[in-house]
Amino acid sequence: MNKQSSVYTLLYIIVLVVVVGAALAFTSISLKERQQANADADKMRQILASVNISASNDDIIDMYEKYIVGTFVIDDLGARVAYAPEAFDINVASESKDAPEARLLPVYECRVDDGSIKYILPMYGAGLWGPIWGYVSVDADGSTIYGAYFAHQGETPGLGAEIEKQAFSGRFIGKHLLKDGAFYPVEVVKRGLAPRGSNDYVDGVSGGTITSKGVSAMIDNCLSPYSAFLKELASSNGQNNLENVE
């Protein structure tokens, strides 16, 4: 065949595309399991970070299995959902877009070193340039925040990206989600300001106003559906305290 002909050129391109496509497909399939394992390990790391536990890549699975003593899925009434997917497998990004009554709400139960139980709740929202997400851990009283972790896909370094640092997430420790039996999401506000209502609040990121507002909206949208569950925890904790006094 004449190598200078257009037919030869066309056949050459077709063969090249097929070979390269097959090679890429094979590589993708071969690496899929490893990529999923890495993604799962990173998710475990983030979950543990919300209870102030650091883990290396070498021991992340062991640490997760040590501290996460249970997982379950609830609805917006606080009831456990039968036949739901595993909490770890639920797509929180997708669930966060549904109406609260239609959501599957994952809960991670963690026993920290002092023996106390914390409940970890996932969140997902929107920042300035892309998605943001995180986890908040709550004491067994259903109200007091024990720890928090936030992450982002593409916020501005030195500005909105600061939500990923302990200097920001640490501000949530000790804040409360329940007051007088009512749920109040913690708000993220401009430094020096305070919300008009009874909500606890933290200062936002300097120069990251839109990202800070995104975090505040994410907390409201994603934690509000857990309010019945948190109130039940508070009620149970109060009953346990009465029994201890007796």
Side-chain angles (χ1 to χ4, degrees):
M1 180 180 291
N2 183 6
K3 294 184 178 181
Q4 303 301 321
S5 68
S6 58
V7 174
Y8 177 86
T9 302
L10 180 60
L11 290 175
Y12 181 84
I13 292 173
I14 292 174
V15 171
L16 183 62
V17 169
V18 170
V19 171
V20 172
L24 290 175
F26 175 78
T27 301
S28 177
I29 294 173
S30 300
L31 295 178
K32 185 175 182 180
E33 185 174 342
R34 181 180 299 179
Q35 291 171 338
Q36 186 61 52
N38 289 338
D40 289 349
D42 187 54
K43 184 174 180 177
M44 293 177 188
R45 178 188 64 79
Q46 295 179 27
I47 291 171
L48 292 178
S50 72
V51 284
N52 311 308
I53 296 173
S54 299
S56 67
N57 292 335
D58 294 331
D59 63 3
I60 182 62
I61 295 177
D62 290 338
M63 294 283 282
Y64 181 85
E65 292 178 347
K66 172 184 177 181
Y67 288 102
I68 303 302
V69 296
T71 62
F72 50 92
V73 179
I74 61 173
D75 59 23
D76 69 317
L77 299 179
R80 298 202 184 196
V81 179
Y83 308 112
E86 291 293 329
F88 193 86
D89 297 330
I90 289 178
N91 187 332
V92 177
S94 177
E95 295 293 330
S96 68
K97 299 173 184 176
D98 290 338
E101 62 272 14
R103 296 185 197 178
L104 295 175
L105 306 170
V107 179
Y108 300 85
E109 188 174 358
C110 175
R111 179 180 289 112
V112 295
D113 288 330
D114 66 3
S116 61
I117 296 295
K118 314 299 176 185
Y119 296 91
I120 303 170
L121 314 176
M123 305 174 294
Y124 189 92
L128 174 59
W129 301 114
I132 57 177
W133 63 92
Y135 298 87
V136 166
S137 60
V138 182
D139 284 341
D141 64 3
S143 177
T144 309
I145 293 179
Y146 179 76
Y149 173 86
F150 300 98
H152 65 92
Q153 180 172 293
E155 300 306 285
T156 307
L159 298 176
E162 296 296 298
I163 65 171
E164 199 164 19
K165 295 185 177 180
Q166 176 63 27
F168 176 72
S169 60
R171 299 172 190 172
F172 289 82
I173 297 175
K175 302 298 182 181
H176 294 88
L177 296 170
L178 297 178
K179 293 184 179 181
D180 298 325
F183 176 82
Y184 292 93
V186 176
E187 292 191 24
V188 183
V189 300
K190 187 174 182 179
R191 187 180 298 274
L193 299 179
R196 295 180 180 179
S198 300
N199 306 53
D200 276 7
Y201 64 95
V202 302
D203 289 335
V205 175
S206 297
T209 302
I210 295 179
T211 306
S212 297
K213 289 181 177 179
V215 172
S216 191
M218 175 177 69
I219 292 172
D220 187 7
N221 177 51
C222 292
L223 296 191
S224 294
Y226 286 95
S227 59
F229 170 71
L230 296 175
K231 291 175 185 178
E232 179 61 30
L233 285 179
S235 176
S236 299
N237 183 69
Q239 182 62 40
N240 289 337
N241 288 339
L242 289 174
E243 292 175 354
N244 290 334
V245 170
E246 294 174 353

